[in-house]
Amino acid sequence: GEEGADADGGGGEDDEAKKKKKKKKKGGGGGGGGGGDARRQTAVPSIAIKDLYPDGKFPIGEIQEYSDDKLERINNEEKRALDRMQEEEWQQMRQAAEAHRQVRQYMQSYIRPGMTMVDIVERLEGMSRKLIAENGLEAGLAFPTGCSLNHCAAHYTPNAGDSTVIQYDDVCKIDFGTHVNGHIIDCAFTVAFNPRYDPLLEAVRDATNTGIQTAGIDVRLCDVGEAIQEVMESYEIELDGKMHQVKCIRNLNGHSISPYRIHAGKTVPIVKGGDQTRMEEGEHFAIETFGSTGKGVVHDDMECSHYMKNFDVEHRPLRLAKAKTLLNTINKNHGTLAFCRRWLDRAGETKYLMGLKALCDAGIVDAYPPLCDQKGCYTAQYEHTILLRPTCKEIVSRGDDY
């Protein structure tokens, strides 16, 4: 449908036209309210979110009050003042989130069996670049589009020449990110055409929502993991006459996020027995869970596509001329954000694999190969970015899809 336009500030339209506009809104983000006076998105989204909300007030995500909140943060004057000081940061997150919502909503209707993975990710990334109004390191794609299939859970995106086609019986995790000034939205969903996978997807959606509900200021990371596992593993799925308990993939987890840093140091486990560190006011977290019909453990497998500069590495001497020019390209286009080989191709880099290996060997860049469970099993993922605001928890990437 027409995506995401809040048709309030219409000016002097007749009532009939106004009604029609209001009705159409549903297709889009369904972020919360609060988007200022908005223009209309095109049927195939192509207008930058910042142009849809020229007043710079973007739709607010889902608001949850903190459970067990002694301070009554939502009405606490001091906390409200703190919250207002960070308004610009919240708005940048909401802008990136609205771009994510509108792109994913379109992609959910676009992806069909028989398409190549390259076609899917290039369509998604092209639309994302327009809606986020890509501009160097100030706004753009936060990391490559994951489209991991079946037993592969994460970090697969096609490299050039990959002719993989999505099939009716595949389970595909679409994991992509947008950012404005390094404020990253990390949010993912699962595509499955065959309804036999519905219980798997439902388990993972429920587990992710449980993690979101459990998360909060001063909550221990291990308690979030335990709550997630309890819900995930209460589900089972029948495949080819065999019952499988849905398992959490125990070596995958959520994570804190900071500017231009997708994994900012804290991990949110999805099984019990994890870290007793607590979440803190002002932090951003990606709450993501993965369910599997296999072993519930992933290992590195297949050709690598994802890479990222090590956030903490200062300058290191490089012998290879090719490594130096490649590093310049990476610094200019991605900084410390993740990238993939297709994006290097797109930037005009050729014959760069030796240079890329040299950067990895020097510890300047890290490789993130695909993460897979046992062959023949199926994995699913749902993920949202949440803001632990001083006054409330905002699930900034929530939409009316998931």
Side-chain angles (χ1 to χ4, degrees), residues 66-73:
Y66 293 113
S67 52
D68 192 30
D69 178 10
K70 314 272 189 300
L71 293 173
E72 294 189 329
R73 288 170 171 274

Side-chain angles (χ1 to χ4, degrees), residues 141-355:
L141 312 184
F143 53 84
T145 306
C147 53
S148 309
L149 294 166
N150 303 329
H151 71 290
C152 187
H155 297 170
Y156 164 78
T157 200
N159 288 328
D162 183 333
S163 56
T164 306
V165 165
I166 193 169
Q167 311 285 348
Y168 174 75
D169 282 317
D170 285 342
V171 177
C172 178
K173 281 70 62 186
I174 300 287
D175 188 350
F176 72 104
T178 51
H179 80 93
V180 175
N181 288 317
H183 297 301
I184 297 169
I185 295 294
D186 184 356
C187 181
F189 61 97
T190 298
V191 173
F193 310 108
N194 190 331
R196 74 180 190 150
Y197 301 112
D198 288 356
L200 173 62
L201 273 57
E202 192 190 338
V204 181
R205 244 194 325 264
D206 193 359
T208 294
N209 284 327
T210 300
I212 290 166
Q213 270 156 5
T214 310
I217 294 167
D218 293 333
V219 172
R220 299 188 309 175
L221 296 167
C222 57
D223 293 339
V224 180
E226 188 163 356
I228 286 169
Q229 183 171 23
E230 187 177 343
V231 168
M232 183 83 79
E233 303 194 341
S234 70
Y235 285 82
E236 46 186 25
I237 177 175
E238 184 179 343
L239 295 172
D240 303 321
K242 187 173 175 225
M243 292 306 286
H244 302 261
Q245 182 186 30
V246 179
K247 294 193 180 107
C248 288
I249 299 182
R250 63 176 182 259
N251 55 342
L252 289 178
N253 36 257
H255 46 94
S256 57
I257 302 176
S258 61
Y260 296 103
R261 189 172 199 174
I262 185 68
H263 288 228
K266 288 186 183 177
T267 62
V268 185
I270 63 174
V271 290
K272 62 178 185 285
D275 189 345
Q276 304 205 2
T277 311
R278 294 176 189 271
M279 296 179 157
E280 294 169 66
E281 177 176 295
E283 288 183 320
H284 302 182
F285 281 92
I287 304 292
E288 58 183 314
T289 75
F290 292 83
S292 175
T293 64
K295 287 209 186 326
V297 187
V298 291
H299 57 271
D300 296 352
D301 195 16
M302 308 196 300
E303 184 176 78
C304 191
S305 57
H306 285 53
Y307 300 85
M308 185 168 63
K309 262 187 73 178
N310 183 326
F311 195 87
D312 301 311
V313 164
E314 10 46 77
H315 188 69
R316 288 187 183 172
L318 286 165
R319 281 214 179 87
L320 210 60
K322 195 70 189 128
K324 291 179 198 174
T325 60
L326 183 60
L327 182 56
N328 285 335
T329 297
I330 293 165
N331 285 337
K332 179 169 141 267
N333 292 315
H334 308 293
T336 54
L337 296 170
F339 59 93
C340 61
R341 293 194 202 173
R342 281 184 298 104
W343 292 0
L344 297 178
D345 302 334
R346 189 174 179 273
E349 287 290 332
T350 56
K351 303 195 173 71
Y352 51 76
L353 283 176
M354 229 170 98

Side-chain angles (χ1 to χ4, degrees), residues 59-105:
I60 297 169
E62 181 199 348
I63 301 298
Q64 289 182 6
E65 289 189 37
Y66 293 113
S67 52
D68 192 30
D69 178 10
K70 314 272 189 300
L71 293 173
E72 294 189 329
R73 288 170 171 274
I74 206 119
N75 299 313
N76 178 315
E77 241 347 284
E78 185 191 346
K79 295 303 178 190
R80 291 172 61 147
L82 257 175
D83 199 84
R84 282 193 296 273
M85 280 167 60
Q86 296 175 82
E87 181 64 23
E88 192 181 356
E89 181 180 332
W90 312 144
Q91 290 299 352
Q92 291 177 353
M93 298 288 295
R94 289 170 191 152
Q95 180 186 347
E98 184 59 23
H100 195 286
R101 270 192 292 273
Q102 292 192 22
V103 170
R104 78 193 191 218
Q105 217 104 27

